[in-house]
């Protein structure tokens, strides 16, 4: 009996699995708070140009970026930075907008800060996905090149180089995950102490890198320690944690109306998460692929002790060595992100997933950041959106567990596009109906994310799982970066952004129909296993077509 069969047989949802899932889900509860934090930290309070002439007129100009020219006329001119602005801080005690005057001529810097955060998430997908899968020599040259382009204000390039060399020597999902937790905590605290907008953007960029590394390694590590039949439930729990973050954000932001305290309060808990995740062992599957037999056996025996199996464990050193030697020629190959496109099956999987992840994020973040358009309290709207996503996520989890992953991710993404296009027919004054369509779209896109992470992790083999998840996550974040640019097209035609979002989401969902179903299938370890499965599926389809032709002739 193979080692993977023994693991699936004996790995009931035991004390180890329950504790591991809890510790890995905890950091995900605050991921949504960092992704959407600028809804509150960059909220624009009512403001007007500071001017004695304006006070004399006893009224304000229609445009808050202008001031009256003289005491005698109603003529106005653009307000300059020397004049300054007065802000109504009755709702928000402090935001980055009023602290650094990011209004009028400097209004673009608000969107720049959010785009740089998403750019950091994009870079995190490029760095932390391959970092968890490969060895020191694979990406060291790329890392050195990146470090040469970093303007390190406080630590210097040598310090960054030492930190990343330490990461490369250790590797694995667990080590990279721990470093990402520390990065989020320290960079988040740095953002709360920023003296100006440029320093704030740098810290937010680094926070975004850590957030992406946390997601892809947290989900990958959980999937590789979770038995096959419990993967949908674990994926569901992790998806709920990501949704909970939206509600947590609204509650904490309502209590802390100063942006610095809000940023600090949502960053400090990651030190606690670091301590919790330290308990989780490295993936035994990854250790076997890297020929670390004794460490894999040590981790497996530790799991057995936690589960109360001391002397009767069916996992032995001989079984571990046999599993290691079985595919030794393959495991000696050093895989890179290029291997995601090298073979037909991997190429089909990667291209299809990249299209779907790009479109899902492309639509989701455009809707998530634009909640002020409903004219209601942004705290209330944020809570409503966060809570109403949960029922659809429950439904998608049920369909993924009983009908199939492929059907669930396709239908979620396809229906979100349909509802976006349908919302174009809703009149502008029917805000409740518009909000209903937005809730449905966000719910379906949230369902796609829950099942999409599970489906992506199951499609890729162990030796490329984190690289694949990192690459698709990179495309997801690219969609989030491009999304604000598309939103700006409403200045030309008000319906154009929704039209683009709906068409892209609908079209990009179609390639998912051609991917294999992973329901009740074991996790694959190598690219060769993926290619064998693809050839088997093609042969089955050919056989069915032949039989169909013969039946037609008869």
């Amino acid at each position: 009996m193979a080692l993977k069969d023994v693991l699936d047989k004996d790995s009931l949802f035991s004390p180890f699995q329950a504790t591991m899932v809890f510790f890995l889900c905890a950091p995900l509860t605050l991921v949504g708070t960092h992704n959407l934090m600028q809804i509150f930290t960059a909220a624009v309070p009512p403001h007007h140009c500071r001017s004695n002439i304006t006070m004399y007129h006893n009224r304000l100009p229609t445009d808050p970026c202008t001031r009256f020219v003289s005491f005698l006329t109603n003529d106005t001119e653009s307000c300059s930075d020397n004049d300054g602005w007065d802000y109504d801080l009755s709702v928000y005690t402090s935001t980055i907008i009023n602290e650094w005057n990011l209004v009028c001529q400097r209004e673009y810097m608000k969107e720049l800060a959010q785009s740089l955060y998403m750019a950091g998430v994009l870079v995190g997908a490029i760095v932390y996905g391959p970092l968890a899968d490969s060895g020191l020599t694979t990406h060291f040259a790329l890392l050195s090149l990146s470090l040469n382009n970093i303007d390190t204000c406080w630590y210097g390039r040598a310090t960054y180089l030492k930190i990343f060399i330490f990461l490369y020597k250790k590797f694995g999902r667990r080590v990279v995950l721990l470093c990402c937790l520390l990065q989020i905590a320290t960079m988040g605290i740095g953002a709360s102490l920023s003296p100006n907008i440029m320093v704030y953007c740098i810290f937010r960029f680094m926070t975004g890198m850590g957030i992406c590394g946390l997601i892809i390694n947290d989900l990958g590590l959980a999937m590789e320690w979770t038995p096959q039949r419990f993967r949908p439930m674990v994926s569901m729990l992790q998806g709920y944690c990501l949704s909970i973050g939206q509600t947590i954000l609204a509650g904490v932001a309502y209590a802390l109306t100063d942006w610095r305290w809000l940023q600090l309060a949502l960053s400090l808990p990651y030190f606690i998460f670091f301590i919790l995740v330290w308990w989780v062992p490295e993936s035994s599957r990854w250790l076997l692929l890297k020929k670390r037999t004794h460490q894999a056996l040590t981790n497996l025996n530790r799991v057995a002790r936690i589960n109360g199996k001391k002397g009767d464990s069916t996992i032995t050193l001989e079984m571990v060595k046999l599993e290691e030697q079985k595919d030794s020629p393959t495991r000696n190959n050093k895989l890179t992100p290029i291997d995601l496109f090298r073979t037909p099956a991997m190429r089909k999987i990667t291209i299809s997933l990249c299209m779907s992840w790009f479109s899902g994020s492309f639509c989701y973040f455009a809707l998530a950041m634009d909640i002020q358009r409903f004219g209601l309290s942004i705290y209330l709207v944020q809570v409503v959106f966060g809570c109403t996503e949960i029922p659809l996520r429950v439904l998608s989890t049920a369909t993924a567990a009983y009908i199939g992953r492929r059907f669930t991710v396709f239908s979620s993404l396809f229906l979100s596009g349909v509802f976006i296009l349908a919302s174009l027919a809703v009149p502008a004054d029917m805000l409740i109906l518009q909000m209903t369509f937005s809730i449905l779209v966000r719910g379906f896109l949230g369902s796609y994310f829950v099942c999409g992470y599970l489906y992506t992790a199951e499609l890729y083999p162990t030796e490329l799982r984190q690289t694949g998840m990192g690459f698709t996550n990179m495309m997801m974040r690219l969609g989030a970066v491009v999304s604000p640019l598309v939103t700006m097209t409403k200045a030309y035609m008000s319906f154009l952004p929704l039209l683009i979002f709906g068409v892209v989401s609908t079209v990009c969902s179609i390639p998912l129909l051609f991917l294999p179903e992973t329901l009740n299938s074991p996790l694959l370890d190598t690219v060769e296993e993926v290619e064998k499965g693809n050839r088997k599926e093609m042969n089955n389809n050919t056989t069915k077509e032949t039989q169909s032709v013969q039946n037609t002739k008869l």
Side-chain angles (χ1 to χ4, degrees):
M1 183 180 291
L3 177 61
K4 66 174 71 175
D5 298 327
V6 175
L7 291 175
D8 285 337
K9 176 183 177 182
D10 290 346
S11 296
L12 300 175
F13 207 70
S14 55
F16 167 76
Q17 266 90 26
T19 308
M20 179 269 300
V21 169
F22 174 77
F23 286 169
L24 291 180
C25 282
L28 298 179
T29 57
L30 296 185
V31 167
T33 65
H34 284 270
N35 286 338
L36 304 176
M37 187 182 298
Q38 278 203 195
I39 292 177
F40 302 98
T41 59
V44 182
H47 58 279
H48 63 273
C49 183
R50 184 183 298 128
S51 171
N52 292 332
I53 300 178
T54 299
M55 299 301 295
Y56 173 82
H57 279 265
N58 200 26
R59 61 186 177 85
L60 298 176
T62 305
D63 186 353
C65 294
T66 61
R67 65 185 180 92
F68 292 110
V69 175
S70 70
F71 294 97
L72 301 178
T73 66
N74 290 327
D75 296 336
T76 61
E77 64 180 2
S78 298
C79 190
S80 66
D81 291 337
N82 295 330
D83 297 317
W85 287 265
D86 289 322
Y87 298 89
D88 180 2
L89 301 179
S90 58
V91 178
Y92 314 105
T93 304
S94 175
T95 69
I96 65 172
I97 303 299
N98 71 276
E99 183 160 336
W100 296 318
N101 290 325
L102 305 184
V103 293
C104 300
Q105 296 91 339
R106 291 163 57 89
E107 185 179 3
Y108 73 94
M109 301 194 74
K110 171 190 172 182
E111 302 301 332
L112 175 63
Q114 180 66 15
S115 295
L116 287 175
Y117 170 79
M118 285 301 176
V121 178
L122 177 63
V123 173
I126 299 173
V127 173
Y128 288 125
L131 188 64
D133 272 332
S134 55
L136 176 62
T137 58
T138 307
H139 299 279
F140 186 79
L142 178 60
L143 175 65
S144 299
L145 180 61
S146 301
L147 288 173
N148 288 334
N149 294 325
I150 294 178
D151 183 13
T152 54
C153 300
W154 294 279
Y155 301 102
R157 292 174 184 151
T159 304
Y160 275 98
L161 188 60
K162 291 178 181 178
I163 294 173
F164 277 96
I165 288 177
F166 173 78
L167 282 175
Y168 271 97
K169 287 181 178 179
K170 297 298 181 182
F171 275 138
R173 285 84 160 107
R174 177 177 175 270
V175 172
V176 176
L177 176 58
L178 290 171
C179 292
C180 288
L181 292 172
L182 284 181
Q183 181 172 340
I184 296 170
T186 54
M187 296 299 107
I189 293 173
S192 69
L193 302 174
S194 300
N196 55 61
I197 183 62
M198 296 309 299
V199 174
Y200 172 81
C201 288
I202 293 173
F203 278 120
R204 286 284 288 169
F205 178 89
M206 298 299 295
T207 303
M209 284 186 63
I211 288 290
C212 186
L214 161 65
I215 293 175
I216 60 180
N217 288 286
D218 188 289
L219 299 179
L221 186 59
M223 287 299 102
E224 293 183 7
W225 271 120
T226 302
Q228 173 185 315
R229 56 189 175 278
F230 291 108
R231 278 186 237 139
M233 182 178 67
V234 172
S235 177
M236 174 188 69
L237 290 174
Q238 291 176 316
Y240 290 164
C241 290
L242 293 172
S243 292
I244 290 172
Q246 300 184 47
T247 307
I248 293 175
L249 174 61
V252 177
Y254 185 79
L256 301 174
T257 56
D258 187 302
W259 77 269
R260 292 185 183 273
W261 286 107
L262 177 60
Q263 177 78 48
L264 188 64
L266 296 175
S267 301
L268 286 175
Y270 278 93
F271 286 116
I272 300 175
F273 298 149
F274 175 85
I275 298 173
L276 295 179
V277 174
W278 187 276
W279 179 88
V280 180
E282 180 58 86
S283 166
S284 60
R285 291 178 180 271
W286 183 86
L287 290 171
L288 290 174
L289 285 174
K290 297 303 176 183
K291 304 182 69 173
R292 299 183 186 179
T293 307
H294 289 282
Q295 187 177 350
L297 182 61
T298 299
N299 288 355
L300 291 171
N301 286 332
R302 177 192 171 194
V303 172
R305 288 194 302 271
I306 294 173
N307 291 337
K309 299 179 181 180
K310 295 183 179 180
D312 58 344
S313 177
T314 56
I315 300 175
T316 63
L317 180 61
E318 289 72 19
M319 293 179 61
V320 174
K321 287 184 176 181
L322 180 63
E323 183 73 13
E324 179 192 21
Q325 295 171 358
K326 184 173 64 174
D327 296 317
S328 57
T330 301
R331 290 172 184 167
N332 287 332
N333 297 330
K334 295 184 180 299
L335 300 180
T336 68
I338 298 177
D339 291 283
L340 296 173
F341 300 92
R342 195 181 301 277
T343 57
M346 294 300 300
R347 187 161 52 245
K348 179 175 69 174
I349 290 172
T350 301
I351 294 176
S352 300
L353 290 177
C354 284
M355 291 176 63
S356 63
W357 277 111
F358 174 88
S359 62
S361 177
F362 179 65
C363 302
Y364 184 85
F365 282 98
L367 298 174
M369 299 300 294
D370 188 24
I371 65 175
Q372 288 184 311
R373 65 189 176 96
F374 298 111
L376 303 174
S377 168
I378 60 175
Y379 302 105
L380 176 62
V381 175
Q382 185 64 29
V383 171
V384 170
F385 278 170
C387 293
T388 52
E389 283 187 19
I390 295 179
L392 284 175
R393 294 195 181 210
V394 173
L395 178 62
S396 67
T397 302
T399 58
Y402 296 102
I403 299 179
R405 278 68 151 144
R406 178 175 56 190
F407 168 80
T408 304
V409 296
F410 164 75
S411 59
S412 297
L413 190 58
F414 182 81
L415 288 176
S416 67
V418 170
F419 277 106
I420 291 175
L421 294 175
S423 67
L424 290 172
V426 179
D429 57 341
M430 301 180 66
L431 292 178
I432 300 300
L433 187 56
Q434 284 189 350
M435 190 171 179
T436 301
F437 273 103
S438 296
I439 289 173
L440 289 173
V441 171
R442 285 189 55 169
F444 280 118
L445 290 174
S447 301
Y448 168 78
F449 292 143
V450 170
C451 300
Y453 278 119
L454 172 65
Y455 193 42
T456 302
E458 291 181 337
L459 283 173
Y460 283 114
T462 302
E463 61 185 359
L464 276 175
R465 183 163 296 120
Q466 296 308 109
T467 302
M469 292 186 70
F471 193 85
T472 53
N473 207 282
M474 176 185 69
M475 297 304 298
M476 173 186 177
R477 302 308 171 182
L478 181 61
V481 173
V482 175
S483 182
L485 302 179
V486 175
T487 304
M488 294 170 61
T489 61
K490 66 182 178 182
Y492 304 99
M493 288 183 286
S494 59
F495 65 89
L496 188 57
L498 289 178
L499 179 63
I500 295 174
F501 293 139
V503 171
V504 170
S505 179
T506 305
V507 172
C508 290
S509 66
I510 296 176
L512 294 172
L513 294 173
F514 301 96
L515 296 181
E517 178 57 65
T518 59
L519 178 63
N520 298 325
S521 300
L523 286 178
L524 302 180
D525 289 328
T526 63
V527 174
E528 283 70 19
E529 292 177 355
V530 175
E531 293 299 324
K532 288 179 182 178
N534 184 57
R535 286 193 293 268
K536 183 178 179 180
E537 183 180 2
M538 293 177 62
N539 292 334
N540 291 338
N541 292 337
T542 303
T543 302
K544 291 179 180 179
E545 291 177 0
T546 303
Q547 292 177 350
S548 177
V549 171
Q550 292 176 351
N551 293 334
T552 302
K553 290 181 179 180
L554 293 176

